[in-house]
Amino acid sequence: MSAVSETLVKAQPAPAPPPKPWTGTRITGTLLMLFWVAAAAGLVFYLYTAWDIDKVERYGPKFLSGLWTTLSLVGVSIALGAILSLPVALGRMSKNPLISRLAFAYVYIFRGTPLIAQLFLIYYGLGSFREQLEAVGLWVFFRDAWNCALFAFSLNTSAYQAEYFR
């Protein structure tokens, strides 16, 4: 063996990356980031100076009650939506054109309309059919706003989850 093949060259560190030029896009991005950091700092400063313990004691329990209502409504509607989405997803994958089109229409309608519109239609729209709902025994369910919201959220969630499952 020769002497050249027995000696190894020591590893060299990687060269430093070239400096990035200050393009217009980079300057704009940096300025926007500085704006949002300043806005967040201003918000924190405002909240610190506007802190009023009397308001927290007065309205804090109401906010916590609203938070609990929201979290329970979302949790239950996700669970009910998951249960309803399985047959809808199977319907979407069905070879039967009637079942497949019905499931597609369901998903299309509930994913294509705003959730707030669905909620208003269920709460206010079904309220106009009070006599008919009382006749079949469903008014007990639909007279409560929480139940109407649960119904609307579950139907909407099931349409989205059916597409995920499909």
Side-chain angles (χ1 to χ4, degrees):
M1 286 196 158
S2 68
V4 175
S5 65
E6 293 178 1
T7 60
L8 298 175
V9 179
K10 288 187 174 184
Q12 301 293 321
K20 293 182 181 178
W22 282 93
T23 63
T25 305
R26 188 172 177 205
I27 292 169
T28 302
T30 303
L31 290 175
L32 284 173
M33 196 62 170
L34 288 173
F35 168 76
W36 286 113
V37 167
L43 178 64
V44 168
F45 177 75
Y46 168 75
L47 291 175
Y48 178 75
T49 56
W51 182 261
D52 186 5
I53 193 66
D54 293 332
K55 289 181 182 175
V56 173
E57 289 174 350
R58 182 174 180 187
Y59 298 112
K62 294 178 184 180
F63 281 124
L64 289 177
S65 172
L67 177 65
W68 171 249
T69 301
T70 302
L71 292 177
S72 63
L73 182 62
V74 168
V76 174
S77 67
I78 287 174
L80 291 176
I83 293 168
L84 182 59
S85 68
L86 291 173
V88 175
L90 292 173
R92 288 276 285 133
M93 296 185 305
S94 174
K95 301 285 187 209
N96 185 336
L98 178 65
I99 294 174
S100 178
R101 286 182 183 156
L102 284 174
F104 174 78
Y106 173 82
V107 170
Y108 184 79
I109 289 169
F110 280 100
R111 289 183 68 192
T113 57
L115 180 58
I116 191 74
Q118 296 169 21
L119 186 62
F120 283 172
L121 283 173
I122 289 171
Y123 184 66
Y124 294 112
L126 291 178
S128 64
F129 297 104
R130 180 178 179 169
E131 292 82 18
Q132 292 82 2
L133 291 173
E134 284 177 343
V136 293
L138 290 176
W139 181 247
V140 175
F141 180 81
F142 286 110
R143 70 178 176 197
D144 187 17
W146 195 90
N147 292 337
C148 289
L150 178 67
F151 186 66
F153 290 177
S154 297
L155 291 177
N156 185 276
T157 300
S158 68
Y160 280 95
Q161 289 183 20
E163 285 300 299
Y164 299 149
F165 288 146
R166 184 179 65 90

